[in-house]
Amino acid sequence: MYLLERLKTSYSDGLSSSVASTRRQQLNSVRPPLNCPKWVCCLLPCINHVQSMKQFRLVQADDAEVRRDGVWIRYDAASLVVGDIIRVVEGDVIPADCVVVSLGMDHLDLEGGGAPSEETITVDSRLVTGEERPRQIPIPQHQTSEIEQSTLFYGSRVLDGAAICVVTATGDRVVLSKLIREGRFPPTSDLTEEVTEIGRLELEMQNEEIGIEMS
């Protein structure tokens, strides 16, 4: 898959611990809509009941299953980096912006045609994109034009199925962070097309930066 090559990662082994450490320039965390000191929140508990803060708590992932040094491990979601290979399953909150590489729990022979047709994954992205209905992610065919259709955004929730994905953006650079900074979270309309374009542009920037770092 060309995206794995551009992000300089391995579908079967993931990143090594040393490479991941080098790439970790910031924690994979999203600043809340109301970023007040803890003591203020204690004095004004009503802040925690503002709609945006209530919704924000629903889009947070505590941990993630990540492929590191060829082994699946449970890891703090805040430690994910671009190029990490992660596995998401039913009930998970997507812990970073990422692209589906294969469907199902197990690694596949990507050169042999991808996932079997019975494998699916359904994701609810309404708290990020405003999309009213859950979306079934298509089986990725690994072509450039199809990457956007296989993108999952930080804060979305897996309703059914499983997938192995590659992380494309973290922290301040995920789509959700941009929407919060612009005061557009939670969304009041369907932002799917705009959000997809934001994700595409960010992916291009990440590709260029990783190419420079590793050259």
Side-chain angles (χ1 to χ4, degrees), residues 9-70:
T9 189
S10 167
Y11 170 67
S12 58
D13 296 331
L15 295 175
S16 67
S17 296
S18 60
V19 169
S21 179
T22 300
R23 291 190 183 184
R24 191 175 298 112
Q25 303 298 319
Q26 62 172 351
L27 289 179
N28 175 38
S29 59
V30 174
R31 299 177 185 178
L34 297 176
N35 196 16
C36 62
K38 291 184 178 180
W39 66 269
V40 173
C41 292
C42 291
L43 293 175
L44 301 173
C46 59
I47 288 178
N48 291 317
H49 297 286
V50 173
Q51 184 67 15
S52 61
M53 292 295 285
K54 292 165 68 175
Q55 301 279 25
F56 181 74
R57 288 195 289 273
L58 298 177
V59 297
Q60 300 303 300
D62 294 326
D63 58 11
E65 189 175 19
V66 60
R67 192 81 169 173
R68 192 60 58 77
D69 297 306

Side-chain angles (χ1 to χ4, degrees), residues 100 103 116-125 131 133-140 148-152 157-163:
V100 172
L103 300 177
S117 59
E118 64 268 17
E119 297 285 2
T120 62
I121 183 171
T122 304
V123 176
D124 181 357
S125 301
E131 192 173 10
R133 296 183 178 181
R135 180 166 56 98
Q136 189 172 90
I137 306 302
I139 296 174
E148 295 174 5
Q149 299 301 316
S150 300
T151 298
L152 306 179
R157 186 175 296 271
V158 180
L159 299 182
D160 181 63

Side-chain angles (χ1 to χ4, degrees), residues 129-210:
T129 67
E131 192 173 10
E132 292 185 2
R133 296 183 178 181
R135 180 166 56 98
Q136 189 172 90
I137 306 302
I139 296 174
Q141 299 299 319
H142 317 311
Q143 301 299 319
T144 304
S145 60
E146 296 166 340
I147 293 298
E148 295 174 5
Q149 299 301 316
S150 300
T151 298
L152 306 179
F153 297 108
Y154 181 117
S156 299
R157 186 175 296 271
V158 180
L159 299 182
D160 181 63
I164 294 175
C165 312
V166 58
V167 173
T168 56
T170 61
D172 288 342
R173 304 186 70 164
V174 301
V175 167
L176 180 63
S177 284
K178 179 177 177 60
L179 295 178
I180 289 176
R181 288 195 300 270
E182 295 177 352
R184 295 195 290 168
F185 175 84
T188 57
S189 60
D190 191 338
L191 304 174
T192 303
E193 291 187 6
E194 181 180 351
V195 163
T196 300
E197 178 64 12
I198 293 171
R200 184 187 67 79
L201 293 173
E202 179 59 37
L203 178 55
E204 289 182 358
M205 292 175 61
Q206 292 284 8
N207 285 334
E208 293 176 0
E209 290 178 8
I210 287 177

